[in-house]
Amino acid sequence: QFKLYLPVAQGEEAAAQTAFLTLPGGHGELVLLVDDEAAVREIVKVTLENYGYRVVTANDGTEGVARFFEHSKEVQLLLTDIQMPLMDGMALIRALRNVQPGLKVIAASGLSTHEAALKATGIGVQAFIVKPFTAASLLLALDTALQRYLATGGARDQAAEVKTLTDALAKFNASRTTFLQMSNSAAGA
């Protein structure tokens, strides 16, 4: 049996919430997330949904192609791991770009050498993020790839973003409270 103590200082909690509110969020864009690691898929999916994106997932490139065709009129961005069984990320990117040449793509890999490989093959992704990545780096990459800031001339719908982020913060705090309650119950058992 062990106990888990999570200290929370008022200043740190307020700073964390402020940092949370400054991250860019989505506006209902549909992201096709393809990764062979179930835990990564789930964490990224929840993070993106909490920040206002819709997410469709696939566990490899072949399933990614199928999921893309199910939602081809809605998918605005592909977020894919590079190393996967059956059909890797680079083959997936090529296949989907043959169908939708303007598809925005973010590639992810635990090996930073894949960035050079992507450039060398001329795939031209909008962003490359190295695993493990933070929610902040992921959200900033999505915002950049979707060119939301540039497309609006630098003007954003701040009221909509604040509402989206406030809703996400409420969900985050509710999840945190549930986790702490479960931890306290487990510690008492």
Side-chain angles (χ1 to χ4, degrees), residues 40-166:
V40 171
R41 274 195 320 273
E42 186 58 27
I43 290 168
V44 171
K45 180 179 189 291
V46 168
T47 299
L48 294 180
E49 288 174 343
N50 282 339
Y51 277 90
Y53 293 94
R54 296 178 301 131
V55 182
V56 173
T57 63
N59 61 14
D60 62 45
T62 55
E63 185 181 351
V65 170
R67 300 292 289 182
F68 177 80
F69 281 107
E70 290 171 10
H71 303 276
S72 63
K73 295 194 185 318
E74 296 178 87
V75 173
Q76 293 176 284
L77 184 132
L78 168 65
L79 171 58
T80 185
D81 186 17
I82 295 300
Q83 281 192 303
M84 296 181 290
L86 302 179
M87 179 184 216
D88 69 13
M90 289 196 282
L92 173 64
I93 294 166
R94 279 191 219 91
L96 297 185
R97 286 252 175 96
N98 280 335
V99 177
Q100 186 177 328
L103 180 65
K104 306 293 186 196
V105 177
I106 297 175
S109 177
L111 304 173
S112 60
T113 57
H114 281 99
E115 183 173 19
L118 288 169
K119 287 179 182 175
T121 57
I123 290 179
V125 300
Q126 278 65 42
F128 178 86
I129 51 179
V130 178
K131 289 179 174 180
F133 47 82
T134 64
S137 63
L138 174 63
L139 293 166
L140 290 170
L142 261 80
D143 195 59
T144 300
L146 291 169
Q147 300 176 343
R148 187 177 303 112
Y149 188 74
L150 297 175
T152 59
R156 296 179 175 208
D157 183 358
Q158 292 180 340
E161 282 192 38
V162 168
K163 181 181 180 342
T164 299
L165 293 173
T166 303

